[in-house]
Amino acid sequence: MRRWNGWGDEAEHYPLEEGARAYLVERVGAGQPPRDATLEEVVRRVPPSRLPDHPLVTSDPETRLRRARGQSLPDWIAMRSGRVGAVPDGVAFPENDAQVRELLRFAQEAKAAVIPYGGGTSVVGHLTVDPDGPPVLSVDLSRLWKLHYLDEVSRLATFGAGVRGPDLEAQLRAAGYTLGHYPQSFEYSTLGGWVVTRSSGQQSLGYGRIEELFAGGRLQAPAGTLHLPPSPASAAGPDLRQLVLGSEGRLGILTEAVVRVRPVPEREVFLGFFFPDFDGALAAARTLVQERLPLVMVRLSTARETETTLRLAGRERLIGLLERYLAIRGAGAGKCMLLVGAAGRRRRGGEAFGGAKAIIRRHGGVLVGSLFGREWEKSRFRTPYLRNTLWENGYAVDTLETATPWRAVPETLRAIEAALEQALKPEGERVHVFSHLSHLYPDGSNIYVTYVFRLSGDPERDLERWRALKGAASRAIVEQGGTISHQHGVGLDHKPYLEAEKGTLGLEVLRQAAAALDPQGIMNPGKLVDR
């Protein structure tokens, strides 16, 4: 059963070793476990639906509650405290395009807003209901999950857009193919959600971001159906697929997506390296991608993230032996970990690693084999469960990300981390901040930042702490010229900073596109851009 107020399956737990607990106390202080509201308490507070009856719509209170929020820290604070605010007035589970069109017609007649619901994994407020707005219909796309057609000649697969990551891969792998798109939310997020938020997978260096994988599909909008043919290329005006990518439910409901697939690789291997310092590691990582080696992943942790990873890993004896070996090799207190992955035919993977090892050696890197790569691969979808454990121990954890050209990466990274570290000092609170680069390009990189701070015991105060942290980091990103979102979308949380990136005219173009497809403004209002 999926958790209603946290991450993942209720049966899955991420233990916190005593050494890891001591490390958190050392970094930010002792946490005080909060008192969470129970599901029964919160369900009792769900107000009656404001929608008229419809055979495709349920007004069951728990069903509505479970689709009221995503996975952002404000969402967690709301659900854990029981102060959820507004919830959808009804939830529908369409099974085909005709039912989606019927639901859009129903919403228009009822003067209701429509919020598409994929996997519920948004971390920027895509699902939040406006408490002062009209009735809300949540359209859960989980029944649009099947592989409709696999064109093995063109290597194109057509899916219902509500398919979740594991189901998508299972259907493809049964025929010997893969999409290779693995965001950290892979187990719960959906293909449609990836498209409308411009998602990046952990192995996007080799497989491509979702905009490279998305070939076409079908969008059901209040104004009609927008067909997006999967042309390999076209000069027939602006590409409307690019308009749907990143649209965040503001234009309509993506019901079908065509994606570019490839044969399942013979093998995937991830190797670990350590560097004495971040500057050398950064130069090596940049060279790896600019040389365009056939790698699927390059992931570089800062010294602080490396330290945090090793301290939270447990296995103290093994880590101690590793650190003594690395110290002999010159990688001591400031060491940084680099993971490199290759996939495909065995011979091609060997050639890729051969070129990578030569570059890494030139920049002072030390190979430690595949152990860390295997551990990362094994736990990459389990790590989010640590959020539940930390919360239960009195700590809040959140992430944010940006992307910037290589020349600006060091200063942007320093500015974001400094902004976060300073944000709660007026309260006398410390913030533990650590970062990595996990999506690298020939001209630049993303910066992915995680920060941990203590819960206060007061939900409103915790929300204010988050606002102070998020605001400080977002302003630092804008001042450094980075994008306000590299892979999580805009939603509500990044919306105040979007004009700095798009400009006034750019935002107006987006508004006009939304008005053309959604004249009454019923689609996910308030997200991305205002009406």
Side-chain angles (χ1 to χ4, degrees), residues 114-179:
V114 176
I115 299 180
Y117 184 95
T121 60
S122 167
V123 293
V124 292
H126 286 119
L127 302 177
T128 305
V129 175
D130 182 356
D132 301 317
V136 169
L137 173 64
S138 173
V139 179
D140 186 315
L141 301 170
S142 58
R143 295 181 185 175
L144 302 177
W145 66 277
K146 293 182 179 179
L147 173 61
H148 296 158
Y149 180 62
L150 175 60
D151 177 353
E152 295 192 65
V153 175
S154 306
R155 293 186 178 174
L156 294 173
T158 303
F159 280 96
V163 64
R164 293 184 180 178
D167 292 328
L168 179 148
E169 283 293 332
Q171 293 177 82
L172 285 177
R173 285 175 181 256
Y177 291 90
T178 182
L179 183 64

Side-chain angles (χ1 to χ4, degrees), residues 305-383:
E305 179 168 285
T306 300
E307 175 189 271
T308 302
T309 300
L310 295 178
R311 292 289 295 271
L312 296 185
R315 305 175 70 173
E316 293 182 8
R317 183 173 179 276
L318 178 63
I319 298 300
L321 290 172
L322 171 72
E323 292 193 315
R324 285 194 289 275
Y325 167 72
L326 290 173
I328 293 170
R329 297 293 303 276
K335 60 184 173 296
C336 297
M337 182 169 68
L338 177 74
L339 296 179
V340 176
R345 296 183 183 277
R346 292 180 180 273
R347 180 176 177 180
R348 189 164 187 246
E351 292 172 351
F353 278 137
K357 290 174 184 176
I359 290 170
I360 290 168
R361 280 196 299 268
R362 287 203 305 270
H363 289 87
V366 179
L367 172 66
V368 293
S370 60
L371 174 62
F372 281 91
R374 288 198 305 270
E375 287 298 314
W376 171 84
E377 186 179 20
K378 184 171 69 175
S379 65
R380 60 176 169 167
F381 304 133
R382 190 166 175 262
T383 302

